[in-house]
Amino acid sequence: MPVLVMKFGGTSVANLDRIRRAAKRVGVEVAKGYDVIVIVSAMSGKTNELVGWVNETSPMYDAREYDAVVSSGENVTAGLMALTLQEMDIPARSWQGWQVPLKTNSAHSSARIEEIPNDNINAKFAEGMKVAVVAGFQGVSPEGRITTLGRGGSDTTAVAFAAAFDAERCDIYTDVDGIYTTDPRVAPKARKLDKIAFEEMLELASLGAKVLQTRSVELAMRYNVKLRVLSSFEEPSDTAGTLVCAEEDIMESNVVNGIAYSREEAKMTLISVADRPGIAAKIFGPLSEAGINVDMIIQNIAEEGRTDMTFSCPTEQVKRAEKALNEAKERGDINFHDLVADTNVCKISAVGIGMRSQSGVAAKMFKTLSDEGINIKVIATSEIKISVLIDRKYMELAVQALHDAFELDKAA
Ligand code: ADP
Ligand code: ASP
Ligand code: MG
């Protein structure tokens, strides 16, 4: 039997009614002759609640226990989905990550998938089971501890299963009807795309577009998984949603094809650091060891042998970054006058593979922001993206202005 992977996000399994609606959708695919692997998220809001409980109990928590707690939301929805399918006379059972087993490394709270053996589930399909419901977001480490794949990780579970079972397609059911030129909740003029290239989606995801977890796009690209994002609230059709596909499969596309934003960005500045060879290594070495995801970096021009060094990192990592740098200072490895964290910033990015061959995108982006009176604090560019750090209060305005300036409401 051909295999189909169907993933239902938090809002799609938010209550028993929604689980029933999702199960009906699964029933339709079973009736077409598919063996279906359903990946479920926790009910919406549940994971946030669990994370909150962990933080309240232990601010510098043991990540193994964090994973034990936050993975539990998916166990509930997996069991409920299997029960719902059974009530519809569809042979189904649930699997927690460790039962599959979905094997990961030991990087708790952001573990990477290493292997998904398919024999257990295939044996059940051979016995007549039609649906394997798998708890998303979780796995098991070589030490036998429960791991999680990072926020939004059920997308990655879904794509990894599609690759491991050579599925015909991986359908990601969510609360929007596809991938848009930007978050439709921030810019009402956002336009739904029929197709988007892996590379563009990868950039958008890593720059903050939560519609797919970055790692899921990476895996889909590597294993050539046919990945589709569609709404769990609308009647499905063969052309519904957005297909994430190879660049060659897209005929026309705008120079800039999407705008992403990330609210959870912080700007940290080391004031008055000695400007001498090796200093960057001494600053960023300890940050990397502490697991800080440094994104943008600026080093100011030195004056009298001292300079300021600014970098950005996720807001939730600010405390850890401060600790790592202050410890390096105490050891005498680095010397700075002050460390200032600005958590009232956000990152706005323009993404498009057309940027490889067209110039002028940066100039247009800066002009647009300046016309709105928005000050740019940090800039970073790569082959297909330009990112800026600005005050968070201008986030919506900047996204909308850039969407207008690049005419993203119009198709290429
Ligand atoms: P789920 O719980 O189903 O995984 P998520 O909340 O993780 O859903 O992802 C869907 C959300 O992603 C949408 O509700 C939307 O607000 C947001 N989003 C951000 N950028 C985009 C985009 N470019 N296109 C569509 N949705 C986007
Ligand atoms: N429930 C997890 C989260 O909220 C995983 C997911 O939904 O993809 O991050
Ligand atoms: Mg998600």
Side-chain angles (χ1 to χ4, degrees):
M1 294 286 189
V3 173
L4 193 66
V5 172
M6 302 172 76
K7 179 250 168 179
F8 293 94
T11 33
S12 311
V13 292
N15 54 46
L16 299 185
D17 243 12
R18 300 240 174 114
I19 293 179
R20 250 176 251 125
R21 189 202 290 242
K24 266 194 206 143
R25 182 69 43 91
V26 176
V28 172
E29 302 295 353
V30 170
K32 287 186 198 161
Y34 287 109
D35 281 344
V36 180
I37 299 175
V38 172
I39 310 294
V40 285
S41 287
M43 290 179 177
S44 64
K46 194 70 213 172
T47 311
N48 285 346
E49 182 182 42
L50 296 169
V51 170
W53 288 347
V54 170
N55 281 323
E56 211 180 311
T57 309
S58 168
M60 286 284 177
Y61 51 74
D62 171 348
R64 293 164 299 190
E65 300 306 343
Y66 167 97
D67 279 352
V69 176
V70 305
S71 62
S72 65
E74 272 72 8
N75 296 344
V76 175
T77 43
L80 289 172
M81 176 63 83
L83 287 171
T84 309
L85 289 160
Q86 288 172 5
E87 286 296 318
M88 294 162 56
D89 291 327
I90 298 172
R93 72 155 268 196
S94 69
W95 307 73
Q96 295 182 6
W98 67 273
Q99 292 173 304
V100 173
L102 186 149
K103 298 183 187 171
T104 70
N105 65 10
S106 309
H108 284 275
S109 83
S110 56
R112 286 170 83 92
I113 299 175
E114 292 189 333
E115 196 194 345
I116 306 181
N118 56 17
D119 34 339
N120 277 338
I121 288 179
N122 273 340
K124 288 287 169 196
F125 278 139
E127 284 171 22
M129 177 189 69
K130 296 311 296 174
V131 184
V133 185
V134 179
F137 179 52
Q138 50 171 263
V140 59
S141 73
E143 294 78 30
R145 302 292 301 259
I146 303 300
T147 54
T148 62
L149 309 180
R151 297 305 305 272
S154 298
D155 298 328
T156 302
T157 309
V159 173
F161 268 84
F165 285 78
D166 202 15
E168 200 170 290
R169 214 175 52 238
C170 180
D171 283 342
I172 306 284
Y173 285 91
T174 183
D175 55 2
V176 278
D177 61 351
I179 297 163
Y180 280 70
T181 47
T182 191
D183 188 343
R185 290 181 211 289
V186 169
K189 282 201 224 160
R191 177 172 53 88
K192 185 173 89 76
L193 300 163
D194 293 331
K195 289 179 177 178
I196 186 166
F198 284 126
E199 287 87 347
E200 280 177 342
M201 192 59 234
L202 197 57
E203 284 285 3
L204 287 172
S206 74
L207 294 168
K210 292 213 170 102
V211 62
L212 285 173
Q213 197 197 32
T214 310
R215 183 96 183 101
S216 72
V217 187
E218 233 168 66
L219 282 181
M221 189 160 137
R222 165 131 43 103
Y223 294 101
N224 214 4
V225 170
K226 203 167 169 197
L227 180 61
R228 190 166 70 143
V229 173
L230 68 173
S231 163
S232 60
F233 303 112
E234 282 173 16
E235 277 314 305
S237 74
D238 287 346
T239 54
T242 303
L243 196 65
V244 190
C245 60
E247 204 179 316
E248 303 80 71
D249 298 333
I250 299 174
M251 299 289 280
E252 298 269 7
S253 125
N254 289 316
V255 178
V256 170
N257 216 20
I259 308 285
Y261 64 86
S262 166
R263 237 183 269 271
E264 294 92 20
E265 215 71 28
K267 172 167 134 322
M268 301 194 72
T269 306
L270 285 154
I271 296 178
S272 188
V273 201
D275 183 34
R276 55 180 156 77
I279 197 66
K282 288 237 163 71
I283 293 171
F284 294 104
L287 289 173
S288 145
E289 274 157 38
I292 309 298
N293 301 95
V294 172
D295 180 25
M296 306 155 134
I297 298 174
I298 325 181
Q299 182 177 349
N300 287 10
I301 293 168
E303 249 179 72
E304 291 167 15
R306 303 198 76 87
T307 185
D308 293 345
M309 184 82 87
T310 297
F311 62 90
S312 71
C313 72
T315 317
E316 56 167 28
Q317 294 180 350
V318 165
K319 289 243 151 25
R320 277 176 209 263
E322 283 173 344
K323 185 162 173 270
L325 291 170
N326 285 322
E327 281 171 4
K329 187 178 181 184
E330 276 161 31
R331 282 196 307 271
D333 290 349
I334 44 175
N335 170 339
F336 51 86
H337 283 181
D338 206 357
L339 175 56
V340 183
D342 179 356
T343 49
N344 281 316
V345 292
C346 70
K347 181 169 65 184
I348 310 282
S349 311
V351 173
I353 40 187
M355 280 187 212
R356 284 190 200 128
S357 52
Q358 278 231 20
S359 57
V361 174
K364 191 169 190 172
M365 181 161 179
F366 304 155
K367 170 93 173 45
T368 307
L369 295 173
S370 118
D371 286 349
E372 298 293 343
I374 300 171
N375 185 36
I376 300 172
K377 298 183 168 212
V378 186
I379 302 169
T381 63
S382 77
E383 201 188 21
I384 67 163
K385 71 120 201 268
I386 300 171
S387 300
V388 294
L389 225 53
I390 60 169
D391 272 335
R392 190 171 311 145
K393 64 180 178 211
Y394 297 124
M395 194 188 83
E396 271 94 358
L397 175 63
V399 170
Q400 290 164 5
L402 291 171
H403 197 273
D404 283 346
F406 289 107
E407 300 186 33
L408 292 190
D409 52 329
K410 299 189 191 95

